[in-house]
Amino acid sequence: LTPLGPPRWPTSTRSTNSSAPFTTESTEPHVSPAEFLSVTYYHVAAILDPADEASRQRRLCDSLCLGGRLRVCAHGLNGALTGGAEAVRQYIEWVEERHEPRPQRAIDWKLAPVSGSELFVGLSVRETAELVTLSPGSPISPLEHTAPHVSPADFHRLLEEEAVRDPSAPAGNPPPLVLLDVRNGYESAIGRFEAPNVATLRPPLRQFSELPRWLEANVHVLRGRRVLMYCTGGVRCEAASVLLRQMRARGGEGGGEGGG
């Protein structure tokens, strides 16, 4: 790792090199180094022994005085932590070295400076069935069958292409596009994507686990369309895209284009 320096304000970078998972050199000379950082991330990977992984994670976080929440399951890791900037750097370095994420599965470490009063109180490291709760009866695994990821540039391009499509023209190839917001209703009410000629579906969810029922009731809206989904950090899109593809496989024709 490059030694920790002043973080960007705020910092949020995607790693493509496990030896340097995030950049912390400031382009603003008047910005002081952050004393405390928050880090949120998820990592889709096979965890052969989730109980052992949870134990190791708990010991490490305790030793670094990190607080927050971390889910550990057979399909990967999903966490939100806060602590001293150097402690967060050491945690990221440990995860990168231990799990060695592949370039196509690089961990998107989302970093932001926080004040001492914003630090999480306490630590919860839990072994769970899913990265994010969606289908307790039949856990969703994003290790396989997840839809392709779409970069921000491609996401924008797809919406621009759909905006100039002639709605009166016969349906062609590719099929029409639909936006699916898989966040909770209160998140969607704050802000959402909208584009000409593109329907934006906003399921009135109180919690993510309500999505399967909504999809079953509204699958006809997705029939014959490409589905471009989005959420906040990406992990809900991972799970939702698997669910959509499962529906399509059993005749629901949900499908999934991807998102982030």
Side-chain angles (χ1 to χ4, degrees):
L1 283 177
T2 302
L4 186 71
R8 301 177 189 269
W9 210 267
T11 298
S12 179
T13 58
R14 177 178 291 275
S15 167
T16 55
N17 183 342
S18 62
S19 66
F22 59 95
T23 301
T24 54
E25 295 181 358
S26 175
T27 57
E28 301 293 335
H30 64 280
V31 173
S32 300
E35 182 179 1
F36 302 107
L37 290 174
S38 70
V39 57
T40 58
Y41 79 100
Y42 73 92
H43 178 43
V44 176
I47 305 295
L48 300 181
D49 190 340
D52 177 68
E53 179 69 23
S55 177
R56 291 172 182 266
Q57 291 274 352
R58 189 177 298 109
R59 290 198 303 269
L60 176 66
C61 290
D62 281 340
S63 71
L64 295 174
C65 297
L66 298 178
R69 300 177 297 275
L70 180 66
R71 297 170 67 101
V72 180
C73 73
H75 315 138
L77 309 169
N78 180 18
L81 303 168
T82 60
E86 174 62 18
V88 170
R89 183 194 71 84
Q90 291 181 31
Y91 176 82
I92 292 174
E93 182 180 45
W94 182 87
V95 172
E96 290 276 348
E97 290 181 350
R98 175 169 171 77
H99 292 285
E100 299 181 342
R102 296 169 295 171
Q104 63 270 34
R105 278 292 186 184
I107 301 175
D108 187 3
W109 299 100
K110 295 180 173 65
L111 294 161
V114 295
S115 66
S117 63
E118 295 174 307
L119 295 174
F120 287 122
V121 177
L123 173 70
S124 171
V125 179
R126 295 191 298 136
E127 182 184 353
T128 61
E130 297 177 291
L131 280 177
V132 57
T133 301
L134 178 61
S135 180
S138 179
I140 295 293
S141 169
L143 287 173
E144 298 178 357
H145 309 303
T146 187
H149 288 201
V150 177
S151 70
D154 285 339
F155 189 98
H156 186 69
R157 176 184 56 78
L158 287 167
L159 295 180
E160 283 188 324
E161 292 174 352
E162 197 69 14
V164 299
R165 181 198 290 260
D166 183 357
S168 64
N173 189 25
L177 191 68
V178 63
L179 273 172
L180 177 59
D181 187 338
V182 298
R183 300 172 300 164
N184 297 337
Y186 73 88
E187 296 174 281
S188 180
I190 294 172
R192 56 193 176 275
F193 289 109
E194 292 183 344
N197 295 337
V198 180
T200 299
L201 304 182
R202 299 168 53 203
L205 308 178
R206 291 182 300 106
Q207 53 193 14
F208 187 56
S209 58
E210 295 174 351
L211 182 64
R213 182 181 299 176
W214 184 90
L215 286 174
E216 291 290 350
N218 294 273
V219 66
H220 61 282
V221 180
L222 305 176
R223 186 170 294 117
R225 292 176 178 265
R226 292 173 297 156
V227 179
L228 186 64
M229 66 182 63
Y230 65 92
C231 57
T232 303
V235 67
R236 284 178 284 187
C237 285
E238 296 272 9
S241 69
V242 175
L243 179 63
L244 283 170
R245 289 192 159 196
Q246 289 179 348
M247 291 175 62
R248 186 177 188 180
R250 66 173 184 261
E253 298 185 21
E257 174 73 18

